[in-house]
Amino acid sequence: MRVVLGPNRYGKAEVRLVRVARDGGVHHLKDVTVSTALSGDMEAVHLTGDNATVLPTDTQKNTVYAFAGKHGVAEIEDFAILLARHYVESQPAVHHARVEVEEHFWDRIPVPATATGPGAGDRRHSFVRSGRETRTCLVHHDSDGTVTVVSGLKDLVVLNSTDSEFSGFAEDEYTTLRPTADRVLATEVTARWRHAPGGTGGRAAYGESYDEVRRHLVEAFAGTYSLSLQQTLYAMGERVLNARDEVCEVRLAMPNKHHFTVDLTPFGMDNPNEVFYAADRPYGLIEGAVLRDDALDTPGARFAWE
């Protein structure tokens, strides 16, 4: 038996970065978490401990901060592409760079008209952490110039209080679940979508694309009479692909956040689907991909989600 080195990569995980862009009294806040991973000609460091081809993870971290100062942080996809390209082009031993970014939203606090103090009339530098979802992106850059961009979101909690049922399912001797014609359907959406090479008429405008994909996901969830969470998942992905030409594949993970009707009969009361117990675990987990039929043949498809 011969032992060989398999696939490997290394990098800096969860670099916390806050960038404040100052425009007079108006400040713009960007709060992101960046993770980098490099792979390529790394056999010697694993087999003999020769570090000659290793760009330290501390250097990767410093690059994140330096690029934030040099280029700013606008759309997280553009920032990730800049970093990934730099790692590959500046290091001959690096054949592939993976950069993942999460964006944490902040909402601006309106300045009351009664505010006092220096520059009160132009004071726009106060924020409150948003209760919104987290925006994500994953960028791969190969030494042959192939760039793959996967945008996404997580922690998007949505709920339909009706227009959902679940019946006609398979049963065996262990089945106790009863069919229902009217249930609460709630989930916490994790969605990732792969951009087709070149986007729509050139490179995609990632900010606009994110807002529109999010809108279609939410509207499809709200507008689908659900016979199963799987059906809803497919409807959400299908709507995105039909509406957004720059997207060629959507992957969704949607836990079923169960809401069970509470039995109020011991108290002499009816419960016409108004009082529920929200269970946090265990939960059903529905996952699936919806894609254009030619999406598997596009450059970078093999590693886009890794």
Side-chain angles (χ1 to χ4, degrees):
M1 181 182 68
R2 179 168 175 256
V3 178
V4 298
L5 177 67
N8 60 88
R9 62 189 181 197
Y10 79 104
K12 204 67 162 182
E14 299 188 17
V15 179
R16 293 290 291 114
L17 165 65
V18 176
R19 175 66 151 79
V20 179
R22 302 170 183 268
D23 182 13
V26 180
H27 292 179
H28 304 276
L29 193 65
K30 205 74 168 182
D31 182 353
V32 299
T33 300
V34 182
S35 295
T36 63
L38 310 180
S39 56
D41 185 10
M42 303 295 168
E43 188 171 278
V45 65
H46 288 88
L47 302 185
T48 69
D50 182 352
N51 294 321
T53 62
V54 176
L55 183 70
T57 65
D58 189 67
T59 303
Q60 296 177 44
K61 174 205 70 180
N62 292 342
T63 305
V64 171
Y65 292 129
F67 270 46
K70 182 177 182 180
H71 302 287
V73 184
E75 304 301 340
I76 57 175
E77 291 88 351
D78 291 322
F79 188 63
I81 291 170
L82 281 173
L83 286 168
R85 181 184 299 124
H86 168 80
Y87 293 131
V88 171
E89 293 182 352
S90 67
Q91 299 297 316
V94 174
H95 302 161
H96 184 90
R98 176 190 190 275
V99 179
E100 187 169 13
V101 184
E102 295 184 352
E103 180 176 356
H104 318 288
F105 292 111
W106 293 80
D107 296 327
R108 190 181 301 280
I109 299 175
V111 179
T114 56
T116 60
D122 194 30
R123 187 187 299 147
R124 296 180 61 192
H125 55 248
S126 300
F127 303 85
V128 61
R129 183 66 176 264
S130 173
R132 286 183 56 184
E133 76 281 357
T134 299
R135 178 177 171 180
T136 67
C137 81
L138 175 60
V139 167
H140 290 276
H141 194 296
D142 255 350
S143 56
D144 65 2
T146 300
V147 178
T148 306
V149 180
V150 175
S151 298
L153 56 82
K154 65 179 184 177
D155 307 322
L156 177 66
V157 180
V158 291
L159 181 150
N160 283 331
S161 56
T162 189
D163 281 353
S164 175
E165 58 182 83
F166 189 57
S167 62
F169 45 81
E171 298 186 42
D172 64 14
E173 65 269 33
Y174 304 113
T175 301
T176 60
L177 183 68
R178 295 180 178 179
T180 176
D182 188 10
R183 67 171 179 170
V184 169
L185 182 67
T187 186
E188 184 176 298
V189 179
T190 297
R192 297 187 295 168
W193 51 94
R194 180 160 60 93
H195 292 262
T200 304
R203 183 178 59 80
Y206 294 110
E208 176 189 347
S209 178
Y210 178 84
D211 290 340
E212 286 299 298
V213 170
R214 181 189 187 278
R215 178 175 69 84
H216 287 296
L217 288 171
V218 171
E219 290 181 358
F221 175 84
T224 300
Y225 186 98
S226 180
L227 301 176
S228 67
L229 190 51
Q230 288 92 332
Q231 175 206 11
T232 300
L233 179 152
Y234 184 82
M236 293 166 69
E238 181 183 37
R239 173 158 171 166
V240 170
L241 291 175
N242 284 336
R244 302 300 302 179
D245 290 340
E246 78 274 15
V247 177
C248 63
E249 183 174 3
V250 181
R251 296 197 180 189
L252 293 152
M254 299 169 60
N256 195 337
K257 300 176 76 69
H258 300 294
H259 287 63
F260 297 112
T261 306
V262 177
D263 181 10
L264 298 181
T265 56
F267 318 119
M269 301 170 60
D270 292 330
N271 184 9
N273 267 7
E274 293 179 346
V275 180
F276 300 89
Y277 164 63
D280 65 342
R281 64 195 61 183
Y283 53 85
L285 178 60
I286 313 303
E287 300 175 286
V290 186
L291 61 159
R292 303 188 194 282
D293 56 9
D294 61 349
L296 294 177
D297 298 326
T298 56
R302 62 179 178 82
F303 57 73
W305 311 98
E306 298 174 359

